[in-house]
């Protein structure tokens, strides 16, 4: 008899934070639990978290701790690939369930997951291999897509709006573009990143995320080819971009060269190490 069932829901991508994908999974899992007569005591949600990338899944980890502690004796998921996409992680989960005595695992789309018999574990492992293969194929398609977009100078990806540009990444935000031009000019004139950041913060200028400027954030922005209207992929400039530049390519090349020299030995402030006349 099931005393305490858990629902686990996960979706890899939810850029808008709507939770619609996991909400549908939870609704279906709860309906299944009701039909089985299983009381759901806890719902674990990893929203916008991949099971393929290797990133931590906090709620999955919490679920495993609860299973280990014996607080959960049944589990419901929408599909086995919501739970695992890594054969290595699946093996750990099989060991965990065996040691904890968890035998009731049901999915909405794929029926029972039986980890108590050799045949059931074989089926689970085959499912894990297939899920991993599908993830590998999807990742390969995504890499090819991004490489193609980069070669054509096209916008790619979502996430945080880049400073100086609108959310669609195709148009300038005039006030922010002016800050970039000023910061680039001052940096090329030899002023330290810390000094520029201090001045911008005192004037009330803020980053895209609303925070204060720091040297790392400023330097990453200034060495990005984006602000010169060029497309960059894995550190290499691949094409003229479809968005307008804020500074010239010549200025950008000088800033990128300074960044490379800085990585080879600049002080944290952005200035280069002081050299003494008789040193060496």
């Amino acid at each position: 008899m099931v005393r305490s069932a858990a629902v686990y829901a996960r979706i890899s991508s939810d850029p808008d934070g709507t939770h619609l994908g996991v909400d549908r999974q939870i609704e279906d899992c709860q309906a299944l639990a009701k039909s089985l007569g299983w009381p759901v005591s806890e719902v674990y949600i990893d929203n916008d978290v991949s099971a393929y990338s290797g990133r931590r899944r906090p709620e999955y980890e919490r679920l495993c701790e609860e299973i280990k502690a014996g607080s959960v004796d049944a589990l419901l998921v929408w599909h086995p690939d919501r739970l695992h996409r890594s054969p290595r992680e699946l093996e750990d989960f099989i060991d965990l369930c065996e040691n904890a005595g968890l035998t009731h695992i049901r999915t909405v789309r794929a029926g029972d997951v039986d980890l108590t018999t050799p045949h059931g574990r074989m089926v689970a492992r085959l499912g894990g291999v297939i899920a991993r293969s599908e993830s590998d194929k999807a990742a390969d398609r995504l890499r090819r897509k991004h490489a193609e977009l980069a070669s054509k100078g096209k916008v790619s990806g979502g996430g945080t709006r880049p400073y100086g540009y609108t959310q669609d990444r195709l148009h300038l935000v005039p006030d922010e573009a002016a800050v970039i031009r000023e910061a680039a000019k001052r940096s090329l004139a030899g002023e330290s990143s810390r000094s520029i950041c201090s001045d911008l913060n005192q004037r009330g200028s803020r980053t895209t995320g609303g925070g204060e400027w720091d040297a790392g954030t400023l330097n990453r922005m200034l060495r990005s080819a984006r602000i010169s209207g060029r497309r960059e992929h894995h550190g290499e400039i691949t094409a003229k971009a479809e968005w307008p530049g804020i500074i010239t390519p010549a200025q950008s090349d000088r800033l990128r060269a300074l960044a490379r020299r800085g990585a080879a030995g600049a002080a944290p402030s952005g200035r280069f190490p002081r050299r003494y006349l008789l040193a060496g």
Side-chain angles (χ1 to χ4, degrees), residues 10-15 22 25 46-52 55 81-82 85:
R10 180 192 63 79
I11 195 167
S12 298
S13 179
D14 183 18
V22 290
Q25 291 179 36
D46 280 316
N47 190 54
D48 201 25
V49 181
S50 170
Y52 171 78
R55 284 175 54 197
D81 65 10
R82 298 302 87 198
R85 278 188 178 265

Side-chain angles (χ1 to χ4, degrees), residues 180 183-184 187-188 193 214-228 230-233 235-237 247 249 251-263 270:
I180 291 175
S187 183
L188 289 171
S193 299
D214 59 56
T217 302
L218 180 70
N219 290 336
R220 282 191 295 274
M221 180 184 71
L222 291 180
R223 68 171 176 256
S224 169
R226 167 182 292 280
I227 61 174
S228 62
R230 294 180 293 178
R231 186 67 159 84
E232 187 174 1
H233 187 59
E236 297 295 328
I237 297 172
I247 63 174
Q251 288 175 310
S252 176
D253 289 341
R254 289 174 60 198
L255 288 167
R256 290 165 68 86
L258 285 173
R260 287 193 294 270
R261 288 168 56 192

Side-chain angles (χ1 to χ4, degrees), residues 111-185:
D112 293 359
V113 177
D114 183 5
L115 301 182
T116 64
T117 66
H119 178 76
R121 290 191 290 272
M122 179 193 73
V123 171
R125 289 177 175 121
L126 287 174
V129 169
I130 292 170
R132 180 71 182 199
S133 176
E134 290 302 314
S135 292
D136 286 343
K137 291 175 184 177
D140 184 59
R141 289 193 297 268
L142 190 60
R143 282 192 292 268
R144 293 179 63 185
K145 173 187 174 182
H146 284 306
E148 181 181 2
L149 290 172
S151 69
K152 296 179 179 179
K154 299 292 185 180
V155 168
S156 173
T160 304
R161 175 181 68 83
Y163 191 83
Y165 292 88
T166 53
Q167 186 63 49
D168 63 6
R169 291 151 168 75
L170 294 174
H171 305 91
L172 300 185
V173 177
D175 292 347
E176 294 180 358
V179 169
I180 291 175
R181 293 189 190 99
E182 177 191 341
K185 182 178 179 180

Side-chain angles (χ1 to χ4, degrees), residues 8 120 262 274:
Y8 178 75
R274 183 177 297 172

Side-chain angles (χ1 to χ4, degrees), residues 58-131:
E59 285 293 273
Y60 173 78
E61 293 173 6
R62 189 168 73 89
L63 169 64
C64 289
E65 288 299 318
E66 293 296 320
I67 294 173
K68 184 178 180 180
S71 303
V72 172
D73 59 4
L75 177 63
L76 301 110
V77 294
W78 193 78
H79 190 277
D81 65 10
R82 298 302 87 198
L83 200 56
H84 303 108
R85 278 188 178 265
S86 163
R88 183 183 298 111
E89 194 175 54
L90 173 60
E91 289 299 326
D92 292 337
F93 189 74
I94 290 173
D95 291 341
L96 171 66
C97 291
E98 184 176 10
N99 292 332
L102 179 66
T103 59
H104 299 85
I105 304 176
R106 296 288 181 91
T107 73
V108 174
R109 291 296 186 183
D112 293 359
V113 177
D114 183 5
L115 301 182
T116 64
T117 66
H119 178 76
R121 290 191 290 272
M122 179 193 73
V123 171
R125 289 177 175 121
L126 287 174
V129 169
I130 292 170

